Amino acid sequence: MGEPYSKAETLALRRKHIGPSCKVFFAKDPLKIVRAQGQYMFDENGEKYLDCINNVAHVGHSHPYVIKAATKQMELLNTNSRFLHDNLVQYAQRLTATLPEKLSVCYFVNSGSEANDLALRLARQYRGHQDVITLENAYHGHVTSLIDISPYKFNQLEKDSKKEFVHVAPSPDIYRGKYREDHPDPASAYAEEVKKIIEETQKNGRKIAAFIAESMQSCGGQVIPPVGYFQKAAEYVHAAGGVFIADEVQVGFGRVGKHFWAFQLQGEDFVPDIVTMGKPIGNGHPMSCVVTTREIAEAFGASGLEYFNTFGGNPVSCAIGMAVLEVIEKEDLQGNATRVGNYLLELLTEQKQKHPLVGDIRGVGLFVGVDLVKDQQKRTPATAEALQLIYKLKEQQILLSADGPHRNILKFKPPMCFTMEDAKHVVDKIDVLLTEMEVATGMKTGNDASTNAQCERKTNEGNSQPESVNESISHINGAACRQENGFYSDKRSVSSKRLRT
């Protein structure tokens, strides 16, 4: 079936009718995507692109089981949640079964932004407090209430754009942050920063309603908080009468591998008060959810103000949500995230040893970041090089994005059906392109590139998939040890506490 418009016509009509602040990927030469399947997207000419960035199509684009569930329910009924329907309660029961026991009450909405906006309402109603602690470089959504608590966005506005009720804590980034991998206890140090904010806020007569954090920062640069940080921060927040909101919109539903939720990487002794979820929850269908405790939900209801959402929790959305959960389990997508993610990390770590442009590799499961630098010692962000690389990869029909405060972090967050072959293919292309870029800029000589190519050929003559890919190689080093990100280290030795992910 032919497309009604040429690519040029589609672009012209978009410019005419769609707001100019609505951006496209690869603005210099945007793609026109007409269909997708699994981890692949196809343009109007039938060209196939490997999708390394789409964490919305969580179980794979156009998954037949999800499509069938949606179609079947849509043929019967779709209405609002003021009528009784088994899909709503069945899905709530299945979803909360993946969470710690105290997180048992659901509010279904339609987007991650709606979920985080509602989470703020719940937190503020709970104790009547108003102030919010957020993290440096955080992004929580596009509605006004969330732009207010998203430094990733409000820092792009005028100088005095931060509201008086918003307090920004340092990002718990042990590669670029205030406390780095050589700090004996970065988790406690970052948590102390939260404590200082609370104390200063209280001196000024203000009260903390919530601390909100992405369980792993995505737009902030693929940042994985050191283990123990959330526990300590939550302790200080609770003492101030606030609640802890874990934003799982980007990273939930098994993406980290061993655990279903990214906040569980912090350990069994950490349980947030509110969890928000979106993007992967419906595999592309617009739905999201807020899950909280009975106590917080009852405080919200005590206001006397009814909460109603026209489309939230409708039978079709709930059928889709259940289908996504079933596919994750039946196809062992969590296991795949661990196996393929570990292999991807291993391949990328080899690139760090070869390429001066690679400063840091960090990640867990199928959530991985590559920090490109102009100087490994100074950690100078290689922003232009990152942009150049993603455009070069597009020419190789690989879709990858760059983000973070300096736009120098390559972000891997592909559909969960991503394979080891996909990982090898992408990293091989990155290897070649980095070599070309380094030779062109004088960071690497032609002889260095030739030596690397010879080493690669020797490596490829052996096992292309080492035994270790079947085991988890992401772990927590002791606080005094070299840490790349708290979950994966270049060093194979481990001391102190270990967490397999």
Side-chain angles (χ1 to χ4, degrees), residues 31-303:
L31 288 171
K32 182 175 182 179
I33 297 296
V34 299
R35 68 183 182 91
Q37 188 73 46
Q39 66 272 45
Y40 298 104
M41 305 183 85
F42 299 84
D43 69 11
E44 77 280 15
N45 299 315
E47 293 293 329
K48 182 171 73 173
Y49 292 82
L50 179 60
D51 182 2
C52 302
I53 57 178
N54 207 318
N55 60 338
V56 176
H58 191 62
V59 301
H61 292 280
S62 307
H63 197 288
Y65 190 79
V66 178
I67 292 170
K68 183 178 179 181
T71 304
K72 183 178 179 181
Q73 181 57 52
M74 194 170 284
E75 288 174 343
L76 292 173
L77 171 72
N78 201 23
T79 187
N80 65 63
S81 61
R82 281 196 171 119
F83 298 98
L84 292 178
H85 197 281
D86 287 348
N87 281 11
L88 176 65
V89 293
Q90 188 177 11
Y91 182 47
Q93 187 177 41
R94 290 189 185 182
L95 189 60
T96 55
T98 68
L99 290 157
E101 187 176 359
K102 80 169 191 174
L103 293 166
S104 60
V105 182
C106 300
Y107 295 87
F108 290 106
V109 286
N110 307 290
S111 71
S113 290
E114 265 196 273
N116 282 328
D117 179 73
L118 178 56
L120 287 182
R121 287 183 60 190
L122 290 168
R124 285 170 167 156
Q125 177 64 32
Y126 182 53
R127 300 280 190 193
H129 300 178
Q130 291 299 311
D131 287 26
V132 177
I133 301 174
T134 187
L135 291 178
E136 185 182 18
N137 305 320
Y139 175 65
H140 295 289
H142 63 81
V143 300
T144 301
S145 66
L146 302 177
I147 296 295
D148 286 346
I149 64 166
S150 296
Y152 180 83
K153 287 293 186 181
F154 71 63
N155 282 338
Q156 299 176 39
L157 304 174
E158 61 272 10
K159 185 177 178 181
D160 298 323
S161 56
K162 186 177 81 66
K163 300 293 193 294
E164 188 180 12
F165 61 82
V166 176
H167 313 279
V168 181
S171 171
D173 180 350
I174 64 170
Y175 181 70
R176 291 193 173 278
K178 186 173 183 179
Y179 307 107
R180 299 187 174 185
E181 70 274 10
D182 56 353
H183 192 282
D185 187 2
S188 295
Y190 279 116
E192 283 296 316
E193 295 289 329
V194 175
K195 183 181 180 182
K196 290 176 187 176
I197 287 173
I198 293 171
E199 290 171 346
E200 187 65 26
T201 301
Q202 291 173 332
K203 285 180 186 177
N204 294 328
R206 306 189 69 90
K207 295 180 179 180
I208 299 298
F211 174 94
I212 184 168
E214 298 161 87
S215 299
M216 301 188 295
Q217 282 192 305
S218 182
C219 293
Q222 307 294 89
V223 175
I224 304 174
V227 170
Y229 170 62
F230 281 177
Q231 289 92 325
K232 293 179 175 67
E235 180 183 339
Y236 300 139
V237 171
H238 288 156
V243 301
F244 192 110
I245 303 171
D247 180 344
E248 292 269 341
V249 170
Q250 293 265 14
V251 295
F253 292 88
R255 177 160 295 278
V256 300
K258 181 179 179 180
H259 299 290
F260 205 79
W261 304 104
F263 73 77
Q264 293 170 319
L265 292 167
Q266 292 283 311
E268 293 182 1
D269 59 334
F270 173 69
V271 180
D273 303 294
I274 301 172
V275 176
T276 60
M277 47 194 80
K279 295 188 188 298
I281 190 173
N283 209 55
H285 180 78
M287 59 184 292
S288 60
C289 186
V290 180
V291 184
T292 189
T293 65
R294 172 62 55 186
E295 183 181 7
I296 291 173
E298 288 182 351
F300 187 58
S303 69

